[in-house]
Amino acid sequence: MSMARLSLSLLMIILFWTLSRCAELEQWNILRPRPHPPRRINYTFYNVLDYGALSDGVSDDSEAFLAAWSAACESNYSVMVIPENGTYLLQPTVFPGPCGLGMKVQLDGVLVAPGFFDWNSTNRRQWLRFQHLDGFTLEGTGTIDGQGESWWEQSCKRNHSNPCHPAPEALTIKSCNSTTVRNLHFVNSQQMHLVFDTGVNIRAIGLNISAPQKSPNTDGIHLHDVQSGFIQDCVIATGDDCISIQTGSSRIHIKNVYCGPGHGISIGSLGKDGSAGNVRAVVVDGAVLNGTTNGLRIKSWQGGRGKVYGVLYQNVRMIGVANPIIIDQYYCDSSVPCLNQTSGVEVSGIVYRNITGTSSTAVAVRFACSDSVSCHGIVLMDVNLTSVKAKSSVSSFCENAQGIAVGENSPQGCFGDEEDEEERASSSI
């Protein structure tokens, strides 16, 4: 084995070990609270019914919710209660902070949004927003229903003759730190279901998110500028990315997620209109992707800048996925062709380990990388993907991608294993 190949192999092993250790630190040390002596906390409860909410699904309960929020926000260890067996119609509403310590919302009822023609705000980009909060928890057995059908009907993606309108994110957590969203149901968002926009130490645990397969832009969980994020035990079925990770995000740990239908688990898209896209230290450990149009995807536009590096995908099962493993540096979600450009978002240090299952297309591994900013430092380790069709095979497509294959991998063809590389080098002399 050449010294260059040996050095690359050692580098990839170190990278894999580092990412695995980061995953453990993210889950057990950073994102979980440190042990402290137990103490009794006396919470004060603020029931929205006591502030005038009618819970009939027809009357606008927005003012009652804001009154309950304002009262609860002033004190430490307050809980705003949204009782079960009630349906609460809310117009676009912002729940502002900062608030006292330990602020919680216990959501056990059903929140419903107004339809496209009943929306009473000029802000058509967000429905419910919580902002400027520390140590905030939103949890319960309830449902956040975006009533998205009337918005999808107006979408230019569903009907190209429609003008393109903005559509709201159902729930936005903006500029919040140490925030948890847990055990809730999200259905039929107008656009993205749950957005974490700018924050440190966020958790999304035990969520169930669903929208029809052809609902436009209905991402499940979207992260933008998030440092230290933990997503676990979520079931997501949407018309777009199950999870999307955008620029500025780092130290993201995704564990035990079921995705499908949808567009898979995506980093990006990054670099649109020449913008910077930077994502690092992402771990996906334990996922099932069923019938999605993509599996594990990194996507960036030509002409962008920045870097994606330090990503570990492991213990992932594919069931009839169209593009199980894909890096696409030529992403173009546009009605007109995108121009070829020389700059791009660099992609490096990407490890795929124990990725198994079936592909619904002939190409199971696709690395479409830029001529000018190639993908490098890619590791395929025990990747075993076969065709969903009996007696059919799958292949790899690799353009401007450098890396190594370790262990037993199928399909082969991108990098080969180290012994194959050595044999080819010897036979060419």
Side-chain angles (χ1 to χ4, degrees), residues 82-317:
I82 305 167
E84 61 182 350
N85 300 323
T87 300
Y88 307 85
L89 173 66
L90 299 180
Q91 288 287 342
T93 306
V94 176
F95 299 92
C99 291
L101 298 174
M103 181 68 186
K104 291 185 178 183
V105 171
Q106 181 69 32
L107 171 56
D108 294 319
V110 178
L111 306 184
V112 294
F116 180 87
F117 295 103
D118 297 320
W119 197 265
N120 73 357
S121 172
T122 56
N123 177 12
R124 289 180 170 256
R125 295 196 175 274
Q126 295 175 336
W127 173 33
L128 304 175
R129 186 173 78 199
F130 294 85
Q131 64 184 24
H132 306 307
L133 298 165
D134 289 323
F136 171 61
T137 299
L138 171 60
E139 62 184 354
T141 60
T143 299
I144 297 175
D145 185 349
Q147 303 278 320
E149 182 61 41
S150 64
W151 294 85
W152 309 332
E153 290 175 353
Q154 303 301 317
S155 170
C156 57
K157 285 200 169 183
R158 176 174 280 193
N159 184 342
H160 296 305
S161 65
N162 288 335
C164 291
H165 298 284
E169 302 158 356
L171 176 62
T172 303
I173 308 294
K174 171 71 173 175
S175 301
C176 295
N177 300 323
S178 300
T179 297
T180 299
V181 180
R182 181 165 43 217
N183 296 339
L184 296 175
H185 295 256
F186 292 77
V187 296
N188 297 338
S189 175
Q190 307 93 328
Q191 206 170 76
M192 296 178 181
H193 286 79
L194 172 59
V195 175
F196 291 97
D197 184 0
T198 311
V200 177
N201 191 8
I202 65 94
R203 302 183 189 191
I205 300 173
L207 304 180
N208 190 301
I209 301 174
S210 64
Q213 185 171 4
K214 293 187 178 180
S215 56
N217 299 115
T218 52
D219 296 47
I221 301 173
H222 181 82
L223 308 179
H224 174 264
D225 195 21
V226 168
Q227 288 80 50
S228 294
F230 188 47
I231 300 171
Q232 182 176 12
D233 298 335
C234 295
V235 177
I236 305 172
T238 70
D240 210 299
D241 295 327
C242 291
I243 298 172
S244 53
I245 303 170
Q246 262 291 347
T247 187
S249 297
S250 64
R251 304 190 306 279
I252 307 301
H253 188 191
I254 299 167
K255 188 172 180 65
N256 297 338
V257 169
Y258 182 95
C259 169
H263 294 182
I265 298 173
S266 295
I267 295 176
S269 62
L270 303 172
K272 185 177 182 180
D273 297 327
S275 63
N278 292 287
V279 174
R280 65 180 178 86
V282 175
V283 175
V284 177
D285 183 4
V288 174
L289 295 107
N290 188 354
T292 53
T293 57
N294 301 283
L296 307 172
R297 176 167 62 158
I298 299 173
K299 51 181 177 175
S300 64
W301 297 71
Q302 294 186 76
R305 51 196 170 86
K307 189 172 184 178
V308 176
Y309 67 99
V311 179
L312 168 63
Y313 301 107
Q314 65 177 0
N315 305 322
V316 178
R317 182 185 174 205

Side-chain angles (χ1 to χ4, degrees), residues 52-62 87-91 112:
L54 297 179
S55 69
D56 58 11
V58 178
S59 305
D60 183 1
D61 286 328
S62 306
T87 300
Y88 307 85
L89 173 66
L90 299 180
Q91 288 287 342
V112 294

Side-chain angles (χ1 to χ4, degrees), residues 394-407:
V394 295
S395 62
S396 301
F397 172 84
C398 300
E399 180 181 17
N400 301 313
Q402 293 85 45
I404 60 171
V406 180

